[in-house]
Amino acid sequence: MERQTVAIETMAFHHETESGDSLHRLESNGTASVAVVDEHDAIHAAVELWCNQAQPPIGFAGTYFSAEQFLAEHPSPSGSRVGPIVLELQQHRNGVDFTALDRIVSRRHRVIVYSHIATDEVILTALDRGAVTYLTKSESKSHLIDAIRAAGTDTPYVGPRMALAILNDSTIGRANLAPREKEVLIAWFRTESKELVARQLQIAPTTVRTHLQRVRAKYAAVGRPATTKAALVARAIQDGIVSVNDI
């Protein structure tokens, strides 16, 4: 029960970042701004208002009604001033449609899912498909602002509902890491930089950062935060993911 309380009450988890690790920093001069992809005008207006009211204000790149419309204007984060993407998931008769999330993530954009859907299965699936964090629209606007800032600086952010979903998917005290997350984690332990990990595993550096961000978030959610690389090594050894001789 104590671990669960820690997980649900903890809102953001900060960690040390190596030089050059932050791709989409939300600088005060507006070098990267948030975009919203949602079919509702009211959400467009609300998020823009909240970003303008934030202290300091967060730059706003624009609003879009679909992934297609967004990607037509921002096909890649490279050379673009757009930073994190706030995305709503579409729900159809046959279930939740993750196509928009898949398309935007495949272009290496960082996606914060901001949805009315609050089931554990959908939250965990969205994270597995590459979302950097998941917030429900019933959570306060301060969570969204904090998540936007965190996504702009490679800092893991876990809101209460996401923390509960992760906790429900974990054994007591043990982070339930996906196989790919373990592979990235071990490769990072054995190399000097995330760029080397990316080349070794033939994935994008941003994908490496996203996996490590989620690993840190999962450990924090079960009450075992790992704020440094050394702490992550310790957690991995404790959980039997690696041995001392493997590093």
Side-chain angles (χ1 to χ4, degrees):
M1 181 62 68
E2 180 179 354
R3 279 199 180 95
Q4 183 170 352
T5 301
V6 170
I8 296 175
E9 291 183 349
T10 301
M11 304 308 176
F13 308 103
H14 299 276
H15 66 82
E16 297 174 354
T17 57
E18 292 79 4
S19 176
D21 272 359
S22 295
L23 181 62
H24 300 309
R25 295 187 180 279
L26 296 174
E27 305 288 358
S28 59
N29 63 7
T31 55
S33 303
V34 66
V36 177
V37 180
D38 193 298
E39 62 181 3
H40 298 102
D41 284 319
I43 298 299
H44 294 179
V47 176
E48 183 173 10
L49 176 63
W50 298 339
C51 288
N52 288 335
Q53 291 177 340
Q55 294 300 322
I58 294 173
F60 201 77
T63 57
Y64 306 87
F65 291 99
S66 67
E68 291 77 10
Q69 184 185 18
F70 168 76
L71 290 173
E73 189 170 328
H74 303 284
S76 167
S78 178
S80 172
R81 291 183 59 190
V82 68
I85 315 305
V86 175
L87 172 72
E88 168 66 291
L89 298 176
Q90 300 299 313
Q91 190 166 23
H92 303 301
R93 181 178 301 176
N94 296 327
V96 177
D97 185 358
F98 293 96
T99 304
L101 174 61
D102 292 341
R103 291 193 62 190
I104 297 175
V105 168
S106 71
R107 301 289 187 91
R108 302 184 182 179
H109 288 286
R110 295 193 159 210
V111 178
I112 298 168
V113 174
Y114 186 54
S115 177
H116 66 286
I117 305 169
T119 64
D120 288 355
E121 181 181 1
V122 171
I123 293 170
L124 296 171
T125 299
L127 295 174
D128 287 340
R129 288 175 177 260
V132 297
T133 195
Y134 192 111
L135 292 172
T136 64
K137 289 178 177 176
S138 62
E139 293 173 293
S140 69
K141 64 182 180 182
S142 63
H143 287 300
L144 181 59
I145 293 301
D146 288 345
I148 290 169
R149 293 197 193 282
T153 59
D154 282 343
T155 305
Y157 186 90
V158 181
R161 188 62 191 85
M162 176 178 159
L164 183 59
I166 293 173
L167 191 64
N168 289 342
D169 193 48
S170 306
T171 56
I172 297 301
R174 186 184 295 270
N176 186 19
L177 304 187
R180 190 59 158 171
E181 290 169 346
K182 292 180 182 179
E183 183 181 23
V184 169
L185 189 63
I186 293 170
W188 187 47
F189 291 160
R190 294 172 176 170
T191 59
E192 297 179 356
S193 73
K194 297 179 180 67
E195 286 68 27
L196 290 175
V197 174
R199 287 199 292 269
Q200 178 182 329
L201 299 181
Q202 297 183 326
I203 58 178
T206 52
T207 302
V208 174
R209 297 184 185 99
T210 297
H211 280 304
L212 293 176
Q213 185 181 43
R214 289 206 299 266
V215 168
R216 282 191 168 101
K218 287 182 177 182
Y219 271 115
V222 296
R224 300 168 65 204
T227 58
T228 65
K229 187 174 185 178
L232 274 177
V233 171
R235 297 285 182 254
I237 292 174
Q238 291 165 358
D239 291 350
I241 297 172
V242 295
S243 69
V244 175
N245 294 330
D246 292 332
I247 300 173

